[in-house]
Amino acid sequence: MTVESTAARSDARRSGTGGMRATQAATGRAAGNGTAEAPEAATAAGTPGKAAAKTSRKPAAESTGGTGGTKGAGKTTRKAPAKSAAKAAAKAPAKGRAPAKAPAKASAKARGSAKARTRAPGDGPGQPEPELVQLLTPEGERVTHPDYDVDLSAEEIQGLYRDMVLTRRFDAEATALQRQGELGLWASLLGQEAAQIGSGRALRPDDYVFPTYREHGVAWCRDVDPTMLLGMFRGVNNGGWDPNTNNFHLYTIVIGSQVLHATGYAMGVAKDGADSAVIAYFGDGASSQGDVAEAFTFSAVYNAPVVFFCQNNQWAISEPTERQSRVPIYQRAQGFGFPGVRVDGNDVLACLAVTKAAVERARAGEGPMLIEAFTYRMGAHTTSDDPTRYRSDEERTEWEAKDPIQRLRVYLESAGLADDAFFAGVEEESEAMGRHVREAIRTMPDPDTMAIFENAYADGHALVDEERAQFASYLASFADSDSQEGR
């Protein structure tokens, strides 16, 4: 598979209104379109320098259906009939771009001409960032947002940094252990630390979490022993922790099913009259599953107190996001009758602020909400995957410049919120965690091999007894073989 996508989205499919304005539009309150001009959106999203914005205009100009252009052109074409708008889009000058609300014919022509582009805006080198909630730019500059913000102490921000560093170190050790044959498989979260730590720290202890198989940072926030996560991937337990102890459900391997589980649990929470919230994590690829659509339907109809947290890391294994959705994922919520918002998934402060607002909204009885954390999977889908076969090194290099941990460190240093002693202490703690994880996995006891036959039936069963005896005989054959070789 080549890196070039034959179904690259137009700018119009990646633009839209974020923040509470989208919330208000979906719930019937006053809202504006809020679609930003392309250069303004790039600046608001923290794209470094004007040069990047200028570079991004050329590919957009080649497509006749992008978002933005001059304000005058936008006003003229919005009111034109479908045929006139289509002709206007086809004859648009090189520097102009059609508005986000172009009619169907114009959009079809835009899709055709967009095939020459490699990725959609915000997905590839030199492209402007999509509109999203951001409180910390890639350069580590603190900015504000009119609808979402947090007021944290220096210690709290230091805590977020520590969480991300330790989570990354644990993830790195797990990947290395898999390469050494200690784990059967591992799904890395590299690059997604801010989305997980920010959202995880926004939750109360009585909130309930339904993860996929990659939420190692959320598990950390819920005080789940990291070595418990390794047990499942080593094949010595079925999860290893009691979900009700930390209100953190077992990892779910089946794609998207946990979103239905979360919705049903949230419906039960509402019937119990509790004021807690439920959050379900899933990826951009899982958004194509029918289970997710069914969960959206039920949650909306029953006004369930659930937050859907989609970590859009750009790739569903080797399939890019544009092959999962014709519109930005967060905009899907509008079709189901609840709000959606896109947040910078590499900005831990923004992820914290948006998730906190969403769960508080759910607790207040205002129903579900969809959060799309726009981030990037820096590593492989799992350790059985080779991402070099389907994506470019340039793409990863661009996203490395938006590293969530480095971004927060720059802010801590520039704002004088942490000194060298703090960073050295976190690094030392990180090394200690690495040693602990290595020792724990190598000394983890194997389970009782015959335990698989226990508790299949309450009163036992003749067929199970027969299978147990056959398996015991099979295992004994290995012991007999070893003893003969020893002689």
Side-chain angles (χ1 to χ4, degrees):
M1 179 178 294
T2 60
V3 176
E4 287 77 14
S5 168
T6 58
R9 291 162 295 186
S10 67
D11 291 345
R13 295 204 300 269
R14 295 305 303 273
S15 65
T17 304
M20 290 298 291
R21 286 170 290 181
T23 304
Q24 293 166 353
T27 54
R29 292 190 290 269
N33 288 332
T35 304
E37 305 295 337
E40 296 171 0
T43 303
T47 303
K50 294 183 179 179
K54 290 182 179 179
T55 305
S56 66
R57 288 195 188 105
K58 287 190 177 181
E62 294 169 4
S63 170
T64 59
T67 305
T70 62
K71 293 184 179 179
K75 291 181 180 178
T76 301
T77 54
R78 281 194 191 99
K79 297 181 180 179
K83 290 186 178 180
S84 300
K87 291 180 180 179
K91 296 179 180 180
K95 293 186 179 179
R97 293 189 294 173
K101 293 189 175 181
K105 285 194 175 183
S107 298
K109 290 187 177 182
R111 288 195 293 273
S113 61
K115 290 182 179 180
R117 299 216 316 257
T118 55
R119 297 299 302 276
D123 290 352
Q127 298 291 351
E129 294 291 342
E131 183 179 354
L132 37 67
V133 177
Q134 187 177 83
L135 299 179
L136 201 60
T137 70
E139 297 78 24
E141 179 186 356
R142 183 70 163 90
V143 294
T144 60
H145 190 276
D147 303 309
Y148 298 99
D149 209 347
V150 287
D151 183 16
L152 304 176
S153 67
E155 289 183 355
E156 289 172 324
I157 300 176
Q158 289 174 7
L160 295 174
Y161 177 84
R162 171 182 175 271
D163 288 338
M164 289 196 292
V165 170
L166 295 183
T167 299
R168 178 171 291 188
R169 181 52 184 268
F170 164 71
D171 180 71
E173 290 297 332
T175 300
L177 287 166
Q178 192 282 330
R179 298 305 190 198
Q180 296 166 17
E182 300 290 351
L183 302 178
L185 187 73
W186 184 249
S188 173
L189 60 59
L190 183 63
Q192 299 178 222
E193 295 88 357
Q196 295 193 16
I197 297 301
S199 60
R201 288 303 181 196
L203 307 176
R204 292 191 328 206
D206 60 327
D207 294 332
Y208 208 101
V209 178
F210 285 83
T212 62
Y213 45 78
R214 200 188 301 275
E215 274 66 62
H216 319 315
V218 184
W220 172 265
C221 294
R222 303 304 283 181
D223 295 327
V224 175
D225 185 346
T227 60
M228 292 291 186
L229 307 180
L230 300 177
M232 186 185 73
F233 288 96
R234 187 175 173 85
V236 301
N237 60 43
N238 294 322
W241 65 90
D242 180 359
N244 295 323
T245 300
N246 308 81
N247 281 5
F248 185 80
H249 199 266
L250 297 177
Y251 272 7
T252 305
I253 305 299
V254 178
I255 305 299
S257 64
Q258 76 282 357
V259 184
L260 268 178
H261 304 158
T263 298
Y265 192 94
M267 290 166 60
V269 167
K271 288 184 178 296
D272 289 342
D275 69 341
S276 57
V278 179
I279 185 168
Y281 289 87
F282 61 103
D284 49 294
S287 69
S288 298
Q289 294 291 331
D291 285 356
V292 175
E294 292 174 12
F296 286 179
T297 298
F298 272 83
S299 65
V301 171
Y302 289 93
N303 205 48
V306 59
V307 174
F308 300 109
F309 196 94
C310 175
Q311 292 179 84
N312 180 0
N313 63 19
Q314 312 300 309
W315 292 96
I317 306 184
S318 60
E319 289 295 300
T321 308
E322 60 259 28
R323 294 189 180 178
Q324 306 295 328
S325 180
R326 294 286 295 275
V327 299
I329 292 175
Y330 78 96
Q331 290 185 0
R332 290 187 182 183
Q334 299 178 21
F336 291 90
F338 57 88
V341 61
R342 174 182 274 172
V343 61
D344 185 341
N346 285 21
D347 177 355
V348 68
L349 301 183
C351 290
L352 174 63
V354 171
T355 307
K356 184 177 177 62
V359 293
E360 288 177 351
R361 180 182 179 278
R363 295 189 197 109
E366 297 182 40
M369 183 170 174
L370 171 62
I371 299 173
E372 177 193 357
F374 197 80
T375 181
Y376 191 75
R377 191 192 76 216
M378 298 296 293
H381 174 71
T382 67
T383 46
S384 64
D385 172 41
D386 179 9
T388 63
R389 294 176 63 86
Y390 55 81
R391 70 184 190 192
S392 66
D393 292 338
E394 291 79 9
E395 181 178 293
R396 174 175 170 137
T397 299
E398 183 193 15
W399 278 93
E400 284 178 344
K402 306 172 188 177
D403 183 274
I405 296 179
Q406 180 62 22
R407 181 184 304 198
L408 187 58
R409 175 164 184 157
V410 170
Y411 172 64
L412 286 168
E413 291 176 332
S414 62
L417 301 178
D419 55 16
D420 292 341
F422 165 75
F423 294 113
V426 172
E427 183 62 27
E428 183 178 347
E429 190 175 2
S430 171
E431 292 295 328
M433 166 172 272
R435 292 190 296 270
H436 169 68
V437 169
R438 289 192 296 272
E439 180 179 358
I441 193 66
R442 289 167 178 163
T443 58
M444 191 173 287
D446 292 332
D448 178 7
T449 308
M450 305 305 294
I452 192 175
F453 298 100
E454 303 299 328
N455 303 317
Y457 290 90
D459 300 322
H461 194 281
L463 181 58
V464 175
D465 293 339
E466 180 182 348
E467 291 173 344
R468 180 190 292 108
Q470 291 176 350
F471 191 62
S473 175
Y474 170 72
L475 293 177
S477 67
F478 291 101
D480 294 341
S481 176
D482 291 342
S483 62
Q484 290 176 3
E485 289 179 1
R487 290 183 301 208

